[in-house]
Amino acid sequence: MEQLALFFALLFLTVLGFILGKGRAVALSGQSDQPLHSRLPYYGLYTAIWCGLPSLLIMAGWMIFEPQIAEILVKSQLKEANQSLSADQLSLYINDVINLASGGILSREPDESILEAAESYHLFKQISYFAMAVVAISVSLVTLFGSLRKISPTLRARNKVEKVISVIMMISSLIAILTTLGIVLSLIFETLRFFEKVPFFDFIFGTHWSPQTALRSDQVGGSGSFGAIPLFAGTMLITFICMVIAIPVGLMSAIYMSEYAGKNFRAFAKPVLEILAGIPTVVYGFFAALTVAPFFRNTGTMLGLDVSSESALAAGAVMGIMIIPFISSLSDDVMNSVPQSLRDASYAMGATKSETITKVIIPAALPGIVGAILLAMSRAIGETMIVVMAAGLAANLTANPLEAVTTVTVQIVTLLVGDQEFDSAKTLAAFALGLLLFVVTLSMNVVALKVVRKYREKYD
Amino acid sequence: MSSAMDMQNFNIINDPITSEPKIIARDVNVFYGASQALKSINLDIGANEVTSLIGPSGCGKSTFLRCLNRMNDVIENCMVEGRINLDGIDIYNSGLDPVLLRARVGMVFQKPNPFPKSIYDNVAYGPKLHGTVSNKDELDERVEKSLRRAGLWDEVKDRLDKPGTGLSGGQQQRLCIARAIAINPEVILMDEPCSALDPIATAKIEELIDELRKRFTIVIVTHSMQQAARVSQKTAFFHMGEVVEVGETDKLFTSPQDDRTQGYITGRFG
């Protein structure tokens, strides 16, 4: 709350800086014969940035490091009081101190030392806040007047402001990259821990998946076997079924919409088709589990086939429907962007519409179409909700689409649902599966990029 | 020749400009939606000669050109009235498939538009499509012959498998001409074929047009009056959707009969 007040004070100073900076530039342009280097608002922005940015950065840094410093202080104080505490107990104590200071619930009756520590913690907090406010505001004021003094007709305000803005944009793009990197690194480290417990080749080439292990010695449980092959086989089977449905339907609807459909139909059908992509996957999931799977089972029974009530076919079919708009919409866009001049050239050669489509438009649009298919495929591989609800949990190693199979994503979900123990192979297996899945989809994307680059038919 | 006799019944505004017309257009009106682009055009295109269509932008000369191989069919809400006969057959009303018509009447466009395929495949596109060659050897021969006729063979014979889009603008346009003549059309329509090219490439294409005239009937739309004077035997001047004047190129440029033609070729408007 107090921090918010300080934040708004700094924001106010920043706005003030803008007004003062611009005002000074206006005054300068009136009295000096030399024309100003930049337009007036840039001088305002220049002062505003100088006034706001350093002080806000100081405030942010302070708020990040303050709790750590406070904790160290509390820790040293508690250590003096209770020499005998172990590290775990100490951290529990510190929690209590912080809770007490902020009015939270304690894990025990507060004793003398805790009360004392809480008192000093509270005091430290207040001093720290006061100091932060003083430092931030004075920095803000100093930079404000410093930058105001620097404003002169020769100051390249626009260049400086643009430089700052470009740095801010660069940092924004770094956030996404660093987050990805962080996720990958955490996956890698947990996976390494997993491979300390389970041999690498058992995981990669094992054909039996049964992750149940006893958590305590008195518990009955499987010994746990972590062969990932059935999971990847299941994933591939479902993805295959999905693509068998989605690719032909998606491509044909794309061809129809970009080449044959009238403007009105296209204007109506394209958004409607894209709605398919907007339906939450959980809705598809219960559609698959409650409607499609029983339908397949009943049909199978009528034909004398043994169809499991949770089958790869049901999950794959529904996923295929879900994927259609990815393929059709992207391919439609790509085919639409094939220039009219190529169509004209083909028609003028006496080609019919279908010859033009198969011999000119699709080859020219192929990179985009391949890209669309691969994007859809990595979407299908990573899809979770539909398979959780409709494909089942049994890790069968089978190529029969009528049986229940399980996928990598489903197993990650089941491994991490419920109470966890972070050092058991069962939990860590989820990270290994996640990493493997990530590697598979990443390499697919890389291959896709290569294919697209190689076969790009440049029309221009 | 009954249909040719039939044509005599139409009132002929302009002099019959050729004794052996390949294409006869009578009373052609073209509408884009409600606006009329061509107003009762009467024009004969002589066989084995170059007819150029000149006139200011938007005067309908490209529209007329696209009527001759029914490329206007592709454009929505475009309507063509009147008669256009190719060798005595009405191309609009006789049940002739436009696809077959376009195999007889080839077209070269303003901007070079080779397919994003290899040079070889660009030229082989038409023959493969129409099945006019029976085996690979014949196809090779056809491709070579077409490229030679288009004056491109020596420049590309070592890189037939490279994309046609990698050629220079002038080479691309000659590739498009080679592609058009590979199916042995009777007529070649050219819609400002040199407007995107530099003077040297233009000179090559013009030379080529003169060469091609021996085998093909050529109709060329151009904005350059010098080009029209250089390459064509007959010239038709279009203005506001009408044919104002048509005649021997020499005569039309030296002693135009109509004030508007005079104005246009001397640069007073357009």
Side-chain angles (χ1 to χ4, degrees):
Chain A
M1 206 53 236
E2 292 157 325
Q3 278 88 346
L4 210 61
L6 180 60
F7 177 75
F8 278 116
L10 291 178
L11 219 55
F12 172 74
L13 279 176
T14 308
V15 174
L16 192 69
F18 180 82
I19 294 165
L20 287 177
K22 194 174 166 191
R24 175 137 170 80
V26 170
L28 270 177
S29 70
Q31 57 188 243
S32 144
D33 351 309
Q34 203 185 347
L36 291 180
H37 170 268
S38 310
R39 273 180 289 134
L40 296 175
Y42 284 108
Y43 291 94
L45 282 176
Y46 173 77
T47 355
I49 286 172
W50 260 114
C51 172
L53 207 57
S55 51
L56 282 172
L57 283 180
I58 288 175
M59 186 177 156
W62 201 295
M63 280 163 66
I64 290 169
F65 292 113
E66 189 203 21
Q68 269 113 5
I69 297 171
E71 209 178 293
I72 293 169
L73 279 178
V74 173
K75 210 183 245 178
S76 62
Q77 201 179 353
L78 280 175
K79 253 204 181 123
E80 278 169 32
N82 308 359
Q83 305 272 340
S84 57
L85 287 178
S86 73
D88 282 353
Q89 284 170 316
L90 194 64
S91 72
L92 212 61
Y93 257 87
I94 291 166
N95 255 338
D96 280 339
V97 169
I98 293 169
N99 278 345
L100 187 65
S102 53
I105 298 160
L106 271 63
S107 62
R108 79 200 78 189
E109 279 298 302
D111 64 22
E112 191 68 17
S113 64
I114 288 187
L115 282 174
E116 214 170 88
E119 187 69 23
S120 63
Y121 179 79
H122 196 64
L123 195 67
F124 173 77
K125 275 277 204 198
Q126 274 181 338
I127 293 171
S128 155
Y129 172 69
F130 189 64
M132 174 169 82
V134 168
V135 170
I137 286 175
S138 50
V139 164
S140 176
L141 286 173
V142 166
T143 49
L144 169 60
F145 287 111
S147 58
L148 269 182
R149 277 172 57 102
K150 275 186 80 175
I151 289 179
S152 70
T154 54
L155 178 71
R156 295 163 161 265
R158 180 180 61 80
N159 307 33
K160 299 205 160 147
V161 168
E162 281 174 355
K163 178 98 196 156
V164 171
I165 290 172
S166 79
V167 168
I168 290 173
M169 288 192 283
M170 191 192 76
I171 292 171
S172 310
S173 66
L174 275 182
I175 287 176
I177 295 170
L178 291 179
T179 312
T180 316
L181 202 68
I183 291 173
V184 172
L185 284 180
S186 83
L187 278 179
I188 287 177
F189 284 119
E190 300 302 332
T191 305
L192 287 180
R193 281 179 63 193
F194 172 70
F195 286 133
E196 283 166 15
K197 295 175 194 295
V198 176
F200 178 71
F201 288 106
D202 286 6
F203 176 69
I204 293 284
F205 297 117
T207 55
H208 186 59
W209 176 265
S210 158
Q212 303 316 323
T213 44
L215 290 179
R216 297 187 307 271
S217 50
D218 58 331
Q219 233 177 2
V220 184
S223 56
S225 63
F226 296 92
I229 294 247
L231 309 190
F232 279 89
T235 305
M236 291 305 150
L237 179 62
I238 288 182
T239 306
F240 177 75
I241 295 169
C242 163
M243 298 320 274
V244 162
I245 290 169
I247 291 177
V249 177
L251 279 186
M252 282 198 254
S253 86
I255 290 170
Y256 178 71
M257 280 204 297
S258 81
E259 303 302 322
Y260 290 99
K263 266 199 193 107
N264 291 334
F265 180 80
R266 199 178 123 83
F268 159 77
K270 203 165 147 76
V272 169
L273 206 64
E274 276 161 7
I275 287 176
L276 263 185
I279 297 176
T281 55
V282 66
V283 175
Y284 280 111
F286 62 69
F287 175 60
L290 302 180
T291 313
V292 178
F295 169 74
F296 281 146
R297 195 191 48 212
N298 295 340
T299 317
T301 319
M302 271 188 339
L303 298 173
L305 289 169
D306 186 22
V307 184
S308 144
S309 59
E310 288 180 320
S311 64
L313 188 62
V318 172
M319 211 197 282
I321 303 288
M322 185 195 84
I323 294 291
I324 288 171
F326 283 82
I327 294 180
S328 73
S329 193
L330 283 173
S331 307
D332 172 41
D333 287 344
V334 184
M335 289 201 281
N336 247 321
S337 63
V338 172
Q340 182 62 33
S341 69
L342 290 186
R343 293 161 216 256
D344 283 350
S346 178
Y347 292 140
M349 295 295 297
T352 62
K353 195 157 195 166
S354 60
E355 285 163 342
T356 303
I357 292 167
T358 50
K359 298 207 164 77
V360 175
I361 294 173
I362 290 183
L366 197 64
I369 293 173
V370 171
I373 289 174
L374 283 162
L375 184 75
M377 207 153 145
S378 33
R379 180 71 208 257
I381 289 177
E383 170 54 38
T384 311
M385 213 56 224
I386 294 174
V387 276
V388 165
M389 293 169 85
L393 292 173
N396 295 325
L397 184 55
T398 173
N400 180 359
L402 304 180
E403 275 184 53
V405 294
T406 192
T407 70
V408 178
T409 49
V410 170
Q411 288 306 316
I412 292 177
V413 170
T414 49
L415 287 174
L416 291 184
V417 167
D419 287 339
Q420 299 309 318
E421 203 182 14
F422 224 83
D423 51 359
S424 84
K426 187 183 161 215
T427 312
L428 292 173
F431 288 91
L433 286 176
L435 185 67
L436 202 56
L437 196 61
F438 176 75
V439 169
V440 168
T441 47
L442 184 73
S443 38
M444 267 180 53
N445 283 342
V446 171
V447 169
L449 269 181
K450 290 250 171 189
V451 167
V452 167
R453 262 198 212 130
K454 178 147 186 224
Y455 292 105
R456 177 178 292 156
E457 285 192 339
K458 266 198 205 151
Y459 42 80
D460 201 11
Chain B
M1 280 288 107
S2 66
S3 60
M5 294 296 291
D6 207 22
M7 285 293 145
Q8 303 300 321
N9 299 334
F10 285 83
N11 54 329
I12 297 164
I13 297 169
N14 298 287
D15 304 331
I17 59 165
T18 174
S19 50
E20 40 170 339
K22 181 80 180 165
I23 299 173
I24 302 170
R26 288 293 175 273
D27 219 13
V28 174
N29 290 298
V30 176
F31 301 87
Y32 291 118
S35 70
Q36 189 167 5
L38 289 180
K39 291 166 196 158
S40 60
I41 301 291
N42 294 294
L43 195 63
D44 292 356
I45 308 289
N48 291 71
E49 60 180 11
V50 181
T51 306
S52 60
L53 312 179
I54 61 169
S57 296
C59 67
K61 52 195 190 308
S62 289
T63 300
F64 179 70
L65 192 75
R66 291 168 69 93
C67 285
L68 301 182
N69 66 344
R70 296 190 59 174
M71 280 296 279
N72 283 333
D73 292 15
V74 182
I75 299 169
E76 266 176 68
N77 70 44
C78 173
M79 203 179 70
V80 180
E81 285 175 359
R83 303 185 65 158
I84 298 176
N85 285 21
L86 172 68
D87 282 343
I89 298 163
D90 188 333
I91 62 169
Y92 276 91
N93 300 315
S94 65
L96 179 68
D97 188 345
V99 166
L100 295 179
L101 169 70
R102 290 182 198 136
R104 291 173 63 190
V105 183
M107 189 166 192
V108 176
F109 294 84
Q110 183 170 3
K111 218 180 129 207
N113 55 356
F115 296 126
K117 302 173 184 294
S118 71
I119 294 169
Y120 183 94
D121 286 342
N122 260 287
V123 184
Y125 184 79
K128 272 191 201 163
L129 208 61
H130 296 288
T132 49
V133 288
S134 48
N135 56 43
K136 179 85 169 83
D137 289 342
E138 265 182 56
L139 185 61
D140 287 350
E141 203 179 302
R142 178 74 65 86
V143 169
E144 178 175 344
K145 204 164 104 192
S146 308
L147 283 170
R148 275 191 197 283
R149 278 191 192 160
L152 195 61
W153 175 253
D154 292 329
E155 290 162 62
V156 301
K157 64 181 175 210
D158 300 323
R159 46 170 175 155
L160 289 174
D161 55 339
K162 295 280 183 309
T165 41
L167 297 171
S168 74
Q171 287 173 325
Q172 283 188 15
Q173 196 61 298
R174 276 181 285 150
L175 178 62
C176 292
I177 294 175
R179 181 177 67 188
I181 60 184
I183 47 172
N184 288 327
E186 297 155 37
V187 182
I188 301 176
L189 311 174
M190 298 187 173
D191 192 354
E192 298 178 44
C194 301
S195 66
L197 305 180
D198 67 39
I200 296 167
T202 302
K204 277 195 179 156
I205 304 263
E206 287 179 3
E207 237 170 74
L208 178 60
I209 291 171
D210 210 42
E211 183 65 33
L212 293 173
R213 170 163 70 93
K214 292 169 194 158
R215 294 170 184 279
F216 308 101
T217 301
I218 295 173
V219 187
I220 177 170
V221 165
T222 178
H223 269 139
S224 154
M225 276 164 289
Q226 289 87 337
Q227 186 171 62
R230 280 194 299 264
V231 302
S232 67
Q233 284 72 52
K234 301 279 160 44
T235 298
F237 172 61
F238 279 66
H239 186 243
M240 312 274 278
E242 289 174 75
V243 176
V244 171
E245 189 167 349
V246 54
E248 302 279 341
T249 301
D250 301 344
K251 279 192 194 150
L252 189 123
F253 278 104
T254 49
S255 53
Q257 303 297 305
D258 194 288
D259 282 351
R260 288 169 290 178
T261 319
Q262 172 85 33
Y264 182 71
I265 61 178
T266 53
R268 264 192 284 124
F269 73 90

